[in-house]
Amino acid sequence: MRRRGLLRRSAGVAGCTGGSDDPAFEEGFEEDIGDWTFGAAIGPEVDIDEFDWEASFSEEEAASGERSLRIWNQGDYDDGVTWATHPIAIESGNAYRIEVTGQFWSESESFNTIRHALMRLGPEPPETEEDFPQPGLNTTDLGETPYGGLRDALWLADGWREYSFEWTTPELSTDTLHLAVGTAVIWEADATHYVDDLAVTVESR
């Protein structure tokens, strides 16, 4: 899916909640696109139509299974984010402690920070780069926050590397959360990354 091709799907959700250690949501990108939607944003100095990006399921790399989520974006503007979002069902009126893990693939290890990994879980899907955490932030140790997530450097390993965060939620008045994963441009170079083996564990508190 390229720029201007924001994929809209039905409002169906996946997941359930409970006290077990079983994930409320798991994704290995082995099935159809389903409820995944794709989006991108860039700063106000650049028209979004000028920012090239792609997001799709791919067989080129996989942490497990045969496929993963492929994210490519151009680096000409030294700015821009690209992401994929999926709804997750919860029970309204409760507060939760949620853990999210996922695998991100980088072509090689690099001393240069070429891209940031983005992960976000909240009551609303992201629309701008500002909807994601600031660089270096991980909500694991912050206590109760409006949404959970992280923004951390990619290219820290050759191949797959796990990223994770925890989110201590307030009492939520929604029955749907939105998980977003993606990459943020840091270095002026085009780059491809892959995401796989997402898991969301939800515990009432």
Side-chain angles (χ1 to χ4, degrees):
M1 180 62 60
R2 293 183 62 84
R3 59 182 176 136
R4 291 178 282 180
L6 185 60
L7 180 61
R8 300 291 185 185
R9 290 283 172 175
S10 64
V13 292
C16 59
T17 61
S20 72
D21 293 332
D22 294 334
F25 175 77
E26 293 183 291
E27 179 63 85
F29 304 99
E30 300 299 314
E31 306 298 331
D32 294 335
I33 288 174
D35 292 318
W36 283 99
T37 62
F38 307 116
I42 196 167
E45 70 280 358
V46 179
D47 192 305
I48 186 61
D49 289 343
E50 300 300 318
F51 178 49
D52 284 343
W53 59 277
E54 299 173 0
S56 62
F57 290 11
S58 172
E59 296 181 354
E60 295 177 37
E61 298 288 343
S64 62
E66 301 295 330
R67 299 201 298 175
S68 64
L69 171 67
R70 176 183 181 269
I71 297 176
W72 172 89
N73 41 35
Q74 71 175 122
D76 294 3
Y77 302 104
D78 197 21
D79 188 19
V81 295
T82 304
W83 66 84
T85 307
H86 197 287
I88 298 175
I90 59 167
E91 293 182 6
S92 177
N94 294 321
Y96 298 98
R97 183 171 291 104
I98 302 177
E99 181 180 10
V100 180
T101 62
Q103 299 281 339
F104 283 72
W105 180 94
S106 299
E107 182 178 2
S108 63
E109 184 178 359
S110 174
F111 291 109
N112 296 319
T113 302
I114 299 172
R115 291 289 187 277
H116 279 162
L118 302 175
M119 302 182 79
R120 184 187 192 278
L121 183 66
E124 301 293 336
E127 296 181 354
T128 68
E129 182 170 1
E130 289 72 25
D131 291 332
F132 291 93
Q134 294 296 309
L137 189 146
N138 186 312
T139 60
T140 298
D141 298 320
L142 295 184
E144 188 176 298
T145 54
Y147 69 88
L150 65 80
R151 178 168 172 168
D152 200 0
L154 287 164
W155 298 76
L156 297 178
D158 178 1
W160 294 97
R161 183 176 188 271
E162 183 175 282
Y163 291 77
S164 66
F165 69 89
E166 293 182 7
W167 177 30
T168 302
T169 80
E171 182 176 312
L172 298 173
S173 59
T174 179
D175 60 6
T176 304
L177 297 176
H178 300 271
L179 173 66
V181 293
T183 66
V185 178
I186 304 300
W187 191 267
E188 290 185 0
D190 298 351
T192 299
H193 291 275
Y194 298 88
V195 182
D196 204 359
D197 290 351
L198 297 174
V200 180
T201 303
V202 179
E203 178 185 357
S204 296
R205 68 179 183 90

